[in-house]
Structure formats: structure tokens, C-alpha cells
């Protein structure tokens, strides 16, 4: 019997198989449906998220611009230093904005265009000539036209954030970026960017082969689009789920957004470093942060370095891992040369160059945290709160980089030297300082501690300590406002005194030298900073009148106790700068300002609360007080300063020392600068420094470094200057051997002539008459 063969695929007819296949088909269909729904949802999420991407733009804070004009006290070396600080580069020819040509007696500068608060200044090519006196001439190159003023673009010194984003960036458009940058970025990070659909299979196989050959991960396969997706929407978690989501989001994003839009977003988003607590995002800010210049001025070796650190800004930190970054930068340069993006000569030149990173840990836009801190605080007091939410504002400040540099150098160099001289523990002594202009009350420099880049506790603003004898001039000023009772020659009693207090206690002040000096002229009591004479004078004029004098000068938080005469008033260096600025300005008070103007991102100025200059202290008594403060330096407690200050110049100031030598102060001024220096310890322990042996040493060298102008002793109309016999304190003429010319308020000058005078000897009757005048 012949057996009938079964059909070859008869088993497919089995009910079990049929139902299994049906089940699989249903499962696949459901899976495809779910995956389709997943993609549809993911697609909507990608479109919504990318459309909602809105980078928070911080306010950019600028220093005061350097103004160059004929007659400016600026030599070519100083001007070149300023250009270097702004990131200008020297060369044999002007190749574009931000370049200059140095010569023996001139500089040829191609200045950058910049939109200032009072109008835009175009790019200019200018020849600047100088002689021993300073700038002698400005000329527009290519013509015989002279120029009255060249204003250099201001330094970007910081950023202020309208929200706590933890990010900083300077937005750029793809059209504004030098073409070599995106070319190099794609060459290194995503060679197939313009041909793949968001995920590069070729890149995946290439990376897999390279990693397999190396035995570990040496190359990534993420495209620019994938990196952007991860940075904008996902975490850094290395999971299969995250990579799967990233890949599909990249594919979907490329269906809705052009390649150039993706590339522009990446250029603004990529993380390129850390500036303290803020992440540095985008090539626009990275150019400022690392090279202190705008992106469009970068050279091939600088572009290569920025692209090199995209791989890992923490690992490839050019301020720490110099050798590692240099090797990777040169590798990028080699790729650029092989691709024909730079010539062989450019390649050879570029690999010979150092990294060229701006000095300091903060570089670019985080150089002066103490000053930017002051700007941040003043914004709230000057402008409406709703205006300050405007992102991308441009804030123009009063900071003078040259003054700031000088103050920083003195604090960072001199405080450690003082510390060593007392054999103190390293880092235990601190210092802070403020420099302001006499005219206009502009804050020119602020240092909040010996670590000038530290953005934490700002001693210049927040460290409120007793000011010691810095308070004395205001007691003497209060007295000199009463010419019928007091003048500079009025004898004061420097003798012991016991002062009963409302608490029932007795206050018994002592002189610092523990000596009793008897009767002495008022100006000498201030020059020598005698406590007992000052307390006698203060009690004579009254506590509340002295408190009113402080308030008129700009500080009204003065306690109602007699110890204020000796400085039991807690103030910060900025507070002290305010009241001494009023003295320096002949009694005209204006709030110290660090902000000149604020513009919106559209270039429109914000209106601020009005402040006005007020004449709050009488000019004549202020002049007399300043005269006595000049004697502090000429023959008093600050005489050491004459050893470092320019000869022939006159300055006024006052030392300040607090109990147990805890705080050392000096505050003083010339005709253009007011400077306040504090030295002390954060734990408030004694330092061993008086005002004269600590803060004065820094102040004197600072004023020398600044070439501060001396005071021009021009008495106001209500002041008369008379020759005085220093022995008797009476009027003198050529008959007296020694004559001191001293100012007096008119109506308060002495009428009697000294016995040594010819007037007294030749006309006794007149002398007798003068006694009874």
C-alpha cells in the first residue's frame, strides 16, 4: 500500500500554530501601534520643547571705557597695556577691529565698533601719538583729519542674572560666527552633519570599530543634533533608555528644524566650562571667558582650542590641564590643515602658539566680583523692580580698570607682607578697599578681600567695624562751624577726663601713647590724633551736633554715645568712602554711584530714580578741617606716607586704630581720588597694627601708583589766610622768626599780634587796642 504524502507545510494548518501566528501578528500590530503613538507623542514633545526653548539672557556689565584725547595723561605703554587688557592683538598690520601696530612714538589702532549709552561709535582706524606729557595728537588714518576723542570699547566685567539659571551665555547668530568655527566643529564632532537624519549610522560603526580596536571607549557616535537634544531636554545618565530616546528625538527634530537652526542652537548651548557657580554656555561667552575678545576676532589656534574642549570642559580645562589641552588643540589643528580649512603656513604658525588663555581663574566676565556685587545692590535702589526683569540688559558702570588693577595689586601684595611682618598665620590677615572720584562721587574700584576673584563675603560693603580715629575729623568740623568759639589755633586741653554714662558707669578714655600733652592747638590735636583733647572738644560741642555732621556727610547710623568722638561707630569701607568723599568735595554730598547707565536689550535707556548733588556741609569749615587733615600727613600720625607719595603734592587723610589693635584704617584724598583701606581679621582678633603701620602703608603706595593729583589749596570766599606765630598762636608779620600761614573763617580770625611782630613792637598802643577788639 502506498502511503500518501502530507503537504510540505501542513503543520502550518495546525490550530496551535495558526493561533500562535495570529497572536504574534496582533502583538506586533499592537507594538507598532504603541511605538507609533510613542513617536507621535515624542514628536509633539520635541516640537513643543524646541519651540519653547528660551535661553535666559543675563545682563552684561561693562567697565568705564578708556577715553583717549590730546592732553590725556597717558603714555603709550599704558595705552598698550589697556589694549592688551581688552584683547586687542599687536601685529605688523591692521587686519581688522581689535588690532594695533606699536611704534616708538605712536600706536595705530583699529578700534571696535560699540554701542554706548550715548550713541554708537563706529570702527575707526586711528593713529595715536604721545610725548613726555601724555597724548599729543589723534589722527584718522588715511586722511589728515585730526580727532578730538577716541573711546575704546569697554571691558566686560561681569554678568547679572534675572533668574537663578546657573548659566551664563552671550548669544550669537550663525551669520555672525566666523565660518572657520562651525567648519571645525563639524569636522571634529559631526563630519556627516549635513547628510545624516539626526543619527549617523556611519558614525556609530566608525566609533564602534575605534572603541573595539582600542579596547575601551575612545570615540563617541553622538551627532550634533543628539548632543543638543541631550543638553536641552535630557540628563547625562548613561542608560539605554536615555540613548534610545535621544536618538529618536534627534531624528524627529530634524524633520521640523533646519540644519542651520540646529547648528546655531548648539553654538549657543554647548557647555564650555565653569565660572565659579555659573556654567559657561556657548561659544560667544567662551570667547570672552577664555580669550577676552569677541568671537569674530578669534584666530585659528583659538578656535581650535574651543572646539577641543567641547569633548569635556572639565577634563580639558585650559587653565588647569594646559598640556592635555595643548595636545588636543594641536590635533584639531592637524585635522583643519588636512581638510584644507587652514593653509600649511597657518598650521605651522598655529601649533607654535601657546593657548593664550586670559589670566586669572575667572577670565572674561568674572574679574571683579566685589564691584559687580555693588552694582547688583545699587540696581535695586536706582531702578523700578519691573524694569530689572528685562533680560539682556547692558549695564555701564564707573569701574576704572586701571584703578581697580592698582587697588588689587596693593591688597594682594601688601596684606601678605604685613602678615609676615607680625609672623601671623598665613591667610589670617585680610584687607579691603574702595576708591572713588572726588568729582561726581563715582566708585572707581572695589576690593572685598585679598582673594580678589572670590565672589563670597564682600568686606568692602558688608564688613562693618568700628572706625576708630577716622571719626575725629567730623567732631573737629562740628567745632569749626562755630568761628566765634573755635578756630584751628584754639587751645584744647589734652588732660584726663571721666565721663558718666546713662548706665551709671564711668568712661575714662586714654591717649594711645598713654601720655598727657596738656594744652595744644586744635589742628595739632587732630594731626597727632590725641583722644583726650578730642573728647573734651566733643563734649563741648555736643553729641547730637556731631551726629548731625555725620548725617550731613552721608552716614546717619551713629549711636548717641560720647564714644563716637573716638570712633565707636560701625562702618564699612564703602560707608567711610561716602563721608570722606563729602569732605573731599568741599561739603557737597552725592550718593556714591557705581552705575552710569542701563540699556535694555533693544538699546533703550532705563530711567532711574533721581539723585541730586547737595551742599550739606559748610564749605569754609570743611576747608579748615581739610587743612588740619593735611597736617596729619605732613607732621602727624600719617607722616610715613610722605616717604612714598610724590614730592610737592598735598594730600589729606586720617589714620584709624581700634581697641586692642583689631582694626587698622586709613582714609584720605587728593583733588581727584578718595581711597579707603581697611586691614583686620575676620575673627576680630588683634592684628598688632595701628592705622599708621597697617592700612596707611597700603594707602600711600596706592595713591603713588595711581599718580593721584594733590589738593589745590584754594580757600573759599569765607576763609582768610593769615600768618600766625606758632608759639603764641597770634598774628605774625616779618618781625617774627617763624610764621605759619593758617586759614580762618572771616570774622573768627585772631586780631591780636604776637609779641614778636613788628606791629606789636612799633605800636604798643595799637597792640593794646587789638587785645580788646
Amino acid at each position: 500500500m502506498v502511503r500518501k504524502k502530507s503537504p510540505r507545510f501542513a503543520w502550518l494548518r495546525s490550530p496551535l500554530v495558526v493561533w500562535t501566528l495570529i497572536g504574534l501578528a496582533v502583538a506586533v500590530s499592537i507594538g507598532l501601534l504603541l511605538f507609533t503613538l510613542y513617536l507621535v507623542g515624542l514628536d509633539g514633545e520635541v516640537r513643543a520643547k524646541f519651540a519653547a526653548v528660551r535661553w535666559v539672557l543675563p545682563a552684561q556689565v561693562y567697565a568705564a571705557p578708556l577715553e583717549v584725547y590730546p592732553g590725556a595723561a597717558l603714555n603709550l605703554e599704558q595705552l598698550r597695556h589697556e589694549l592688551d587688557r581688552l584683547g586687542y592683538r599687536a601685529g605688523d598690520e591692521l587686519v581688522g577691529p581689535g588690532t594695533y601696530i606699536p611704534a616708538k612714538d605712536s600706536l595705530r589702532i583699529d578700534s571696535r565698533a560699540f554701542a554706548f549709552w550715548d550713541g554708537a561709535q563706529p570702527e575707526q582706524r586711528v593713529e595715536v601719538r604721545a610725548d613726555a606729557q601724555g597724548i599729543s595728537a589723534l589722527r584718522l588714518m588715511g586722511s589728515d583729519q585730526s580727532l578730538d576723542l577716541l573711546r575704546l570699547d569697554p571691558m566686560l566685567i561681569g554678568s547679572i542674572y534675572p533668574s537663578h539659571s546657573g548659566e551664563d551665555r552671550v548669544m550669537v547668530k550663525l551669520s555672525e560666527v566666523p565660518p572657520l568655527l562651525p567648519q571645525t566643529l563639524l569636522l571634529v564632532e559631526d563630519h556627516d552633519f549635513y547628510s545624516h537624519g539626526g543619527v549617523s549610522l556611519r558614525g556609530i560603526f566608525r566609533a564602534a570599530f575605534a572603541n573595539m580596536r582600542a579596547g575601551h571607549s575612545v570615540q563617541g557616535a553622538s551627532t550634533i543634533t543628539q548632543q543638543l537634544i541631550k543638553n536641552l531636554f535630557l540628563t547625562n545618565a548613561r542608560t539605554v533608555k536615555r540613548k534610545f530616546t535621544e536618538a529618536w528625538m534627534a531624528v524627529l527634530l530634524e524633520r521640523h528644524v533646519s540644519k542651520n537652526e540646529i547648528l546655531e542652537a548648539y553654538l549657543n548651548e554647548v557647555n564650555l566650562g565653569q565660572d565659579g557657580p555659573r556654567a559657561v554656555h556657548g561659544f560667544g561667552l567662551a570667547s570672552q571667558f577664555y580669550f577676552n575678545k569677541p568671537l569674530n576676532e578669534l584666530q585659528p589656534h583659538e578656535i581650535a582650542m574651543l572646539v577641543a574642549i567641547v569633548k569635556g570642559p572639565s577634563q580639558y580645562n585650559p587653565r588647569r590641564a594646559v598640556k592635555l589641552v595643548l595636545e588636543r588643540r594641536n590635533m584639531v589643528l592637524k585635522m583643519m590643515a588636512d581638510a584644507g580649512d587652514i593653509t600649511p603656513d597657518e598650521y605651522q604658525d598655529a601649533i607654535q602658539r601657546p593657548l593664550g588663555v586670559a589670566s586669572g581663574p575667572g577670565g572674561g566676565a568674572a574679574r571683579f566680583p566685589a564691584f559687580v556685587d555693588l552694582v547688583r545692590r545699587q540696581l535695586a535702589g536706582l531702578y523700578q523692580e519691573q524694569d530689572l526683569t528685562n533680560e539682556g540688559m547692558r549695564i555701564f558702570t564707573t569701574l576704572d580698570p586701571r584703578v581697580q588693577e592698582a587697588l588689587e595689586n596693593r591688597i594682594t601684595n601688601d596684606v601678605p607682607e604685613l602678615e609676615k611682618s607680625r609672623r601671623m598665620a598665613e591667610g589670617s590677615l585680610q584687607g579691603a578697599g574702595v576708591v572713588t572720584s572726588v568729582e561726581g562721587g563715582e566708585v572707581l574700584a572695589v576690593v572685598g578681600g585679598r582673594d580678589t576673584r572670590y565672589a563670597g563675603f564682600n568686606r568692602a560693603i558688608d564688613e562693618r567695624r568700628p572706625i576708630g580715629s577716622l571719626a575725629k575729623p567730623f567732631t573737629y568740623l562740628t567745632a569749626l562751624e562755630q568761628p566765634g568759639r573755635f578756630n584751628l589755633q584754639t587751645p584744647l586741653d589734652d588732660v584726663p577726663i571721666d565721663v558718666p554714662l546713662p548706665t551709671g558707669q564711668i568712661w575714662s578714655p586714654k591717649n594711645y601713647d598713654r601720655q598727657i600733652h596738656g594744652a595744644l592747638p586744635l589742628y595739632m590735636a587732630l594731626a597727632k590724633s590725641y583722644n583726650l583733647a578730642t573728647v573734651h572738644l566733643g563734649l563741648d560741642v555736643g553729641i547730637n551736633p556731631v551726629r548731625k555732621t555725620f548725617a550731613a556727610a552721608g552716614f546717619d547710623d551713629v549711636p548717641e554715645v560720647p564714644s563716637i568722638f573716638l570712633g565707636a561707630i560701625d562702618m564699612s569701607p564703602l560707608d567711610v568712602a561716602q563721608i570722606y568723599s563729602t569732605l573731599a568735595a568741599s561739603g557737597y554730598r552725592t550718593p556714591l554711584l557705581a552705575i552710569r547707565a542701563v540699556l535694555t536689550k533693544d538699546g533703550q535707556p532705563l530711567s532711574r530714580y533721581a539723585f541730586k548733588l547737595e551742599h550739606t556741609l559748610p564749605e569754609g569749615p570743611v576747608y579748615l578741617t581739610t587743612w588740619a587733615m593735611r597736617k596729619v600727613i605732613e607732621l602727624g600720625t600719617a607722616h610715613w606716607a610722605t616717604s612714598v607719595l610724590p614730592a610737592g603734592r598735598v594730600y589729606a587723610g586720617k589714620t584709624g586704630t581700634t581697641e586692642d589693635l583689631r582694626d587698622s584704617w586709613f582714609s584720605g584724598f587728593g583733588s581727584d581720588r578718595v581711597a579707603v583701606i581697611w586691614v583686620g581679621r575676620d575673627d576680630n582678633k588683634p592684628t598688632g597694627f595701628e592705622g599708621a603701620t597697617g592700612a596707611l602703608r597700603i594707602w600711600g603706595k596706592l595713591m603713588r601708583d595711581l599718580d593721584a593729583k594733590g589738593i589745590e589749596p584754594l580757600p573759599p570766599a569765607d576763609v582768610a589766610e593769615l600768618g600766625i606765630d606758632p608759639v603764641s598762636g597770634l598774628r605774625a608779620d616779618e618781625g617774627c622768626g617763624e610764621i605759619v600761614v593758617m586759614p580762618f573763617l572771616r570774622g573768627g580770625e585772631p586780631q591780636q599780634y604776637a609779641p614778636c611782630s613788628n606791629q606789636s613792637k612799633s605800636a604798643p598802643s595799637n597792640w593794646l587796642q587789638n587785645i580788646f577788639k
Side-chain angles (χ1 to χ4, degrees):
M1 178 178 175
V2 179
R3 181 177 295 178
K4 193 174 183 179
K5 292 183 178 180
S6 306
R8 181 178 297 180
F9 299 105
W11 61 272
L12 290 174
R13 298 173 183 174
S14 166
L16 178 62
V17 172
V18 170
W19 283 110
T20 299
L21 291 176
I22 292 173
L24 285 173
V26 171
V28 169
S29 299
I30 293 173
L32 288 173
L33 176 61
L34 292 176
F35 183 64
T36 301
L37 293 174
Y38 166 75
L39 288 181
V40 170
L42 197 62
D43 184 65
E45 183 182 351
V46 167
R47 283 185 294 167
K49 283 187 173 181
F50 194 83
V53 168
R54 179 176 173 274
W55 287 288
V56 175
L57 298 181
Q60 301 298 314
V61 185
Y62 294 93
L66 176 64
E67 297 185 337
V68 184
Y69 53 88
L74 190 70
N75 60 44
L76 292 181
E77 182 180 352
Q78 291 169 326
L79 177 55
R80 183 170 180 176
H81 180 67
E82 292 304 308
L83 292 172
D84 292 341
R85 197 206 305 271
L86 290 172
Y88 281 62
R89 59 188 187 278
D92 297 327
E93 59 179 334
L94 300 178
V95 295
T99 59
Y100 70 94
I101 303 172
K104 182 178 180 181
D105 58 355
S106 70
L107 285 176
R108 295 183 175 184
I109 305 170
D110 193 342
S111 69
R112 297 172 181 138
F114 193 85
F116 290 94
W117 62 90
D118 55 357
Q121 177 177 281
E123 172 194 350
Q124 294 176 299
R125 290 194 169 191
V126 181
E127 181 182 48
V128 182
R129 304 191 72 84
D131 53 28
Q133 283 70 47
I135 304 300
S136 58
L138 301 180
R139 179 182 65 85
L140 284 174
M141 294 178 59
S143 74
D144 294 328
Q145 181 182 347
S146 61
L147 193 65
D148 294 330
L149 174 69
L150 171 65
R151 186 156 57 177
L152 297 176
D153 51 299
M155 179 190 298
L156 179 64
I157 63 171
S159 300
I160 296 178
Y161 309 84
S163 70
H164 300 288
S165 65
E167 300 176 358
D168 195 0
R169 75 185 80 242
V170 173
M171 296 295 293
V172 297
K173 295 180 180 178
L174 187 59
S175 59
E176 300 169 344
V177 173
L180 187 59
L181 173 58
Q183 289 172 15
T184 306
L185 178 66
L186 297 184
L187 180 67
V188 175
E189 292 293 321
D190 192 352
H191 192 270
D192 304 321
F193 176 70
Y194 281 102
S195 60
H196 65 63
V199 176
S200 174
L201 295 179
R202 185 190 304 177
I204 292 172
F205 287 123
R206 184 172 56 240
F209 178 75
N211 295 339
M212 190 184 311
R213 187 171 59 180
H216 59 91
S217 179
V218 295
Q219 191 175 121
S222 293
T223 64
I224 288 288
T225 313
Q226 287 176 273
Q227 292 180 44
L228 179 63
I229 289 290
K230 182 188 71 174
N231 291 341
L232 286 178
F233 310 135
L234 303 176
T235 68
N236 289 322
R238 292 174 176 259
T239 63
V240 173
K241 180 182 177 182
R242 199 270 291 168
K243 290 297 293 183
F244 181 81
T245 303
E246 174 192 292
W248 279 108
M249 290 182 80
V251 171
L252 293 169
L253 179 63
E254 294 228 359
R255 294 183 62 227
H256 304 292
V257 180
S258 73
K259 289 284 188 179
N260 283 347
E261 288 178 293
I262 292 172
L263 183 55
E264 183 175 280
Y266 184 87
L267 290 171
N268 285 300
E269 173 58 27
V270 61
N271 186 340
L272 290 168
Q274 196 73 21
D275 182 14
R278 300 286 181 180
V280 176
H281 280 263
F283 285 91
L285 181 62
S287 179
Q288 293 282 357
F289 181 67
Y290 290 116
F291 300 117
N292 189 29
K293 63 171 103 173
L295 192 59
N296 60 6
E297 293 182 15
L298 293 186
Q299 301 300 295
H301 69 284
E302 296 164 330
I303 288 174
M305 194 206 83
L306 292 185
V307 172
I309 65 178
V310 169
K311 181 177 177 67
S314 178
Q315 179 184 2
Y316 293 96
N317 185 324
R319 291 195 172 92
R320 292 200 301 263
V322 177
K323 183 178 179 181
L324 185 65
V325 175
L326 195 63
E327 290 175 353
R328 180 162 174 80
R329 183 206 69 176
N330 289 347
M331 181 201 76
V332 173
L333 286 168
K334 181 67 166 59
M335 295 175 67
M336 295 163 69
D338 291 344
D341 292 335
I342 58 175
T343 66
D345 288 342
E346 288 175 325
Y347 169 68
Q348 290 299 328
D349 175 70
I351 61 173
Q352 299 301 320
R353 293 177 178 268
L355 292 179
V357 175
S359 61
R367 294 176 172 178
F368 313 118
F371 187 91
V372 174
D373 181 30
L374 175 61
V375 171
R376 190 192 309 270
R377 300 183 196 207
Q378 288 198 350
L379 280 172
L382 293 172
Y383 296 91
Q384 299 281 355
E385 183 177 354
Q386 59 267 29
D387 292 336
L388 297 180
T389 61
N390 186 308
E391 295 177 14
M393 293 188 304
R394 302 167 74 225
I395 301 169
F396 295 94
T397 74
T398 59
L399 181 134
D400 186 325
R402 290 177 294 167
V403 178
Q404 180 73 27
E405 181 180 52
L407 179 58
E408 288 184 358
N409 286 342
R410 290 271 63 94
I411 295 291
T412 57
N413 292 329
D414 294 352
V415 170
E417 287 185 8
L418 291 171
E419 186 178 75
K420 290 178 183 177
S421 71
R422 290 292 190 274
R423 298 182 179 179
M424 301 170 66
E426 185 176 351
S428 59
L429 191 64
Q430 274 292 349
V434 176
V435 181
T436 69
S437 67
V438 171
E439 184 178 359
E442 294 184 334
V443 181
L444 305 177
V446 179
V447 170
R450 57 192 287 177
D451 182 357
T452 59
R453 300 295 175 262
Y454 177 61
F457 184 60
N458 190 344
R459 296 168 188 81
I461 302 175
D462 296 320
E463 185 79 272
R464 299 190 64 173
R465 296 290 189 94
I467 63 172
S469 295
L470 294 189
K472 288 177 180 175
F474 299 91
T475 296
Y476 286 76
L477 172 59
T478 307
L480 291 169
E481 291 182 39
Q482 304 176 44
R485 300 181 60 203
F486 301 100
N487 59 48
L488 291 172
Q489 194 62 42
T490 300
L492 299 182
D493 290 327
D494 188 66
V495 295
I497 184 173
D498 293 328
V499 182
L501 302 176
T503 60
Q505 297 175 306
I506 300 296
W507 179 47
S508 301
K510 301 288 189 296
N511 280 327
Y512 177 77
D513 61 5
R514 303 294 176 177
Q515 302 297 311
I516 306 300
H517 304 97
L520 70 162
L522 180 147
Y523 81 89
M524 189 62 73
L526 180 59
K528 297 293 186 180
S529 200
Y530 291 147
N531 291 342
L532 295 177
T534 302
V535 172
H536 279 285
L537 179 65
L539 292 174
D540 200 357
V541 298
I543 294 174
N544 280 323
V546 173
R547 294 176 68 228
K548 290 179 180 178
T549 299
F550 272 101
F555 188 78
D556 58 6
D557 189 16
V558 178
E560 192 176 355
V561 293
S563 55
I564 63 171
F565 305 139
L566 302 184
I569 309 168
D570 292 342
M571 298 176 70
S572 70
L574 185 67
D575 294 330
V576 174
Q578 176 68 75
I579 60 175
Y580 271 72
S581 291
T582 305
L583 292 181
S586 301
Y588 287 85
R589 185 189 72 200
T590 184
L592 295 180
L593 290 179
I595 301 171
R596 283 185 173 178
V598 177
L599 304 185
T600 67
K601 60 184 176 184
D602 300 320
Q604 298 302 310
L606 291 183
S607 60
R608 73 181 189 191
Y609 299 114
F611 280 114
K612 60 181 180 179
L613 182 69
E614 295 182 273
H615 195 181
T616 57
L617 292 173
E619 196 168 356
V622 168
Y623 182 85
L624 268 57
T625 304
T626 300
W627 188 92
M629 293 170 67
R630 288 161 46 190
K631 299 304 175 184
V632 172
I633 295 176
E634 291 175 18
L635 51 82
T637 56
H639 183 66
W640 175 89
T642 60
S643 67
V644 295
L645 292 171
R649 297 186 190 178
V650 175
Y651 303 91
K654 188 69 189 75
T655 50
T657 310
T658 61
E659 188 177 1
D660 297 328
L661 305 182
R662 299 177 189 274
D663 302 280
S664 172
W665 291 90
F666 193 85
S667 182
F669 50 88
S671 64
D672 61 340
R673 301 281 187 263
V674 179
V676 181
I677 301 294
W678 168 84
V679 174
R681 293 176 56 134
D682 289 339
D683 59 12
N684 202 29
K685 291 182 179 179
T687 65
F689 291 107
E690 309 161 24
T693 57
L696 174 66
R697 307 304 169 102
I698 299 175
W699 182 91
K701 288 182 279 188
L702 172 65
M703 295 293 273
R704 176 200 62 194
D705 296 345
L706 295 176
D707 195 26
K709 296 178 182 178
I711 294 172
E712 299 176 3
L714 300 174
D718 61 343
V719 170
E721 292 190 323
L722 302 177
I724 299 295
D725 168 36
V727 176
S728 65
L730 303 177
R731 297 177 71 163
D733 57 23
E734 61 274 9
C736 296
E738 183 180 357
I739 299 177
V740 176
V741 178
M742 190 173 295
F744 295 88
L745 286 179
R746 295 189 184 278
E749 61 266 48
Q751 301 298 315
Q752 182 179 350
Y753 277 89
C756 61
S757 66
N758 292 333
Q759 182 80 12
S760 174
K761 295 173 183 175
S762 61
S765 59
N766 290 340
W767 178 76
L768 289 172
Q769 291 174 7
N770 288 334
I771 294 178
F772 296 102
K773 279 188 178 181

